[in-house]
Amino acid sequence: MAERGRAPGRAQGIAGTWPPRGAAQAGGFAPAGFGIWSNSLEKLREWVKAEAGAGRLLPWVPIAYGTGIALYFAAEREPVLSVATATAIGLCAAAFLLRRRRIFPIAVMIAGIAAGFATSTWRTALVGHAVLARPAYSVSLAGFVETRDIRERTDRFVLRVTAMDTPRVHMKLERVRLSVRKGAAPAVGSFVELKARLQPPLAPLRPGSYDFGRDVFFQGIGASGFVTGAIKTVEPPVEGGLALRYAAFMQDLRDTIDARIRITLDGDKRAIATALLTGRRDAITTPVNDAMFISGLGHVLSISGYHMAVVAGVVFFAIRALLALIPVLTVSFPIKKWAAAAALAAAAFYLLLSGAEVATQRSFYMTAVVLIAVLVDRRALTFRTLALAAMVVLALSPEALVHPSFQMLSA
């Protein structure tokens, strides 16, 4: 006969307590504390062992690599390049030799930290250039226009300096960023002569805040300022190079797309369409811009993962659907791989068209890993995708770790 309140044939459970009974004596806390710490350490040891298993260690490598980069930027003085490089090579070699030992995961993490530190040191040495230390007035400059940024109230462009004349500055700057009135910025790729007032790169507004000077340093810019006279376009004395011709071509393409959008749309619709296609957000009105950020949708205007996924996904499924309409191709050829290759090319073009900011680069690398996995018949949607994208971004541009875009995507 079943007991009252219990269903027939049903096992009776006993409610337990935490910590278990007997773990703590009356009036004492030490035994319970030791038991909790012992269980916690054992659980932590199990987690570490699981993460160090086969195929689980790779996502931790970018974390160690980024830690080394963070240590570099937190250093009080510039490290010695040869020492940092030799240490990183030695630790990486030691990790390779210890690949069959139990301490291999620890060796990999230490080697990753050293590699990130050394890469940052190398990057700083490669982009090292002269930086203006004090304001300079009435500076005569001549050079090529590398980039042009059309803003809401003023235009801004970066000038690659070939000639600089000023009596008070005894140095040669490589690049300067200058502001001009709206609509007065010269075309990308042109050679200009002008007079400008230059200022040193902006220092942090308060201790520990964002360092704008560090940002422009890694862009190769040694000073900023504004044009004080007329801009004269002349014939260049030397060739600008392949990179300058590429920059001029991409800028002309953005301008052509923007002009086409102007014919079709108007108002903020045109401005938002231009921002999503070319990355130019200057034409968005202040009320719409404020509404986007107050509502939490401001990040939509910055080309990143969502936009890259939409472009690659639309091209992939459209190409595959069109090829599937031809039975001969469906049966005899790998149309899925053809669609993945077309989507990869479209994503790469979108990356170049948008200006290749940090968030866009990260999104492209993740998309590229997925599409390449389709091409080689491997699993694509794994956590390694994000790890590989982070490693590529940090290896090419270690300074991206302290950039707001990278911090936002990691959050």
Side-chain angles (χ1 to χ4, degrees):
M1 181 176 179
E3 296 182 8
R4 180 179 301 176
R6 184 192 306 173
R10 187 173 181 180
Q12 181 181 8
I14 301 176
T17 60
W18 186 88
R21 296 176 182 176
Q25 300 178 358
F29 300 94
F34 286 131
I36 293 174
W37 279 108
S38 178
N39 293 336
S40 300
L41 291 176
E42 184 63 28
K43 180 62 68 174
L44 180 62
R45 189 179 296 110
E46 293 178 1
W47 289 348
V48 171
K49 185 181 298 184
E51 292 298 330
R56 303 288 295 272
L57 191 60
L58 180 62
W60 290 97
V61 175
I63 298 177
Y65 194 84
T67 302
I69 297 175
L71 291 176
Y72 168 81
F73 284 106
E76 297 182 356
R77 59 182 61 89
E78 186 65 23
V80 180
L81 179 60
S82 58
V83 175
T85 304
T87 302
I89 294 175
L91 290 175
C92 290
F96 177 77
L97 296 176
L98 295 173
R99 63 188 183 279
R100 301 188 184 280
R101 303 294 182 88
R102 297 182 61 181
I103 62 173
F104 174 67
I106 300 177
V108 169
M109 295 298 103
I110 296 176
I113 294 174
F117 191 88
T119 303
S120 303
T121 309
W122 266 104
R123 173 65 175 166
T124 303
L126 289 176
V127 302
H129 55 85
V131 178
L132 189 66
R134 61 184 63 183
Y137 306 93
S138 188
V139 181
S140 298
L141 298 172
F144 292 97
V145 179
E146 288 190 335
T147 63
R148 184 184 63 188
D149 186 12
I150 301 176
R151 305 170 67 85
E152 183 178 354
R153 295 183 177 87
T154 60
D155 291 349
R156 195 168 62 179
F157 64 94
V158 174
L159 184 71
R160 187 207 300 172
V161 179
T162 59
M164 178 176 176
D165 183 17
T166 177
R168 296 184 179 182
V169 179
H170 303 287
M171 67 173 60
K172 170 67 163 48
L173 300 176
E174 295 183 8
R175 289 178 178 84
V176 295
R177 186 168 60 188
L178 302 172
S179 298
V180 294
R181 67 179 185 276
K182 183 74 173 179
V188 175
S190 59
F191 187 86
V192 297
E193 295 178 350
L194 52 87
K195 285 186 177 293
R197 178 178 177 180
L198 301 180
Q199 298 284 344
L202 184 62
L205 300 179
R206 64 177 183 271
S209 63
Y210 185 72
D211 191 353
F212 296 93
R214 177 184 58 207
D215 193 11
V216 298
F217 172 81
F218 283 101
Q219 296 177 22
I221 299 174
S224 60
F226 55 89
V227 179
T228 57
I231 302 176
K232 183 180 180 181
T233 303
V234 298
E235 288 294 327
V238 294
E239 290 291 333
L242 182 61
L244 188 64
R245 290 196 295 269
Y246 160 76
F249 171 77
M250 294 304 299
Q251 187 61 47
D252 291 341
L253 184 59
R254 296 188 190 100
D255 294 340
T256 303
I257 294 175
D258 183 52
R260 179 62 179 173
I261 294 176
R262 289 175 185 269
I263 298 175
T264 307
L265 303 175
D266 57 357
D268 288 310
K269 294 180 180 180
R270 173 189 63 82
I272 293 176
T274 301
L276 297 180
L277 286 176
T278 66
R280 289 176 50 178
R281 300 188 292 268
D282 59 285
I284 301 177
T285 60
T286 301
V288 173
N289 193 55
D290 293 341
M292 294 287 289
F293 280 94
I294 291 174
S295 62
L297 299 175
H299 64 281
V300 176
L301 301 177
S302 177
I303 299 176
S304 57
Y306 167 75
H307 311 79
M308 192 66 66
V310 168
V311 170
V314 168
V315 173
F316 176 82
F317 289 108
I319 296 297
R320 190 177 184 186
L322 291 176
L323 294 177
L325 297 176
I326 307 175
V328 177
L329 296 180
T330 305
V331 175
S332 305
F333 298 95
I335 61 173
K336 181 179 180 180
K337 295 183 179 181
W338 291 3
L344 182 60
F349 176 74
Y350 189 40
L351 170 71
L352 300 177
L353 181 66
S354 63
E357 295 183 354
V358 174
T360 315
Q361 292 181 36
R362 182 263 310 174
S363 305
F364 169 74
Y365 296 141
M366 293 182 63
T367 305
V369 170
V370 172
L371 295 175
I372 292 174
V374 174
L375 292 174
V376 297
D377 296 324
R378 297 292 297 273
R379 289 183 58 189
L381 300 177
T382 66
F383 197 68
R384 298 184 184 184
T385 305
L386 179 60
L388 291 175
M391 278 299 299
V392 173
V393 172
L394 293 177
L396 296 177
S397 303
E399 67 275 9
L401 183 74
V402 293
H403 195 273
S405 297
F406 195 93
Q407 296 172 15
M408 289 177 64
L409 66 90
S410 62

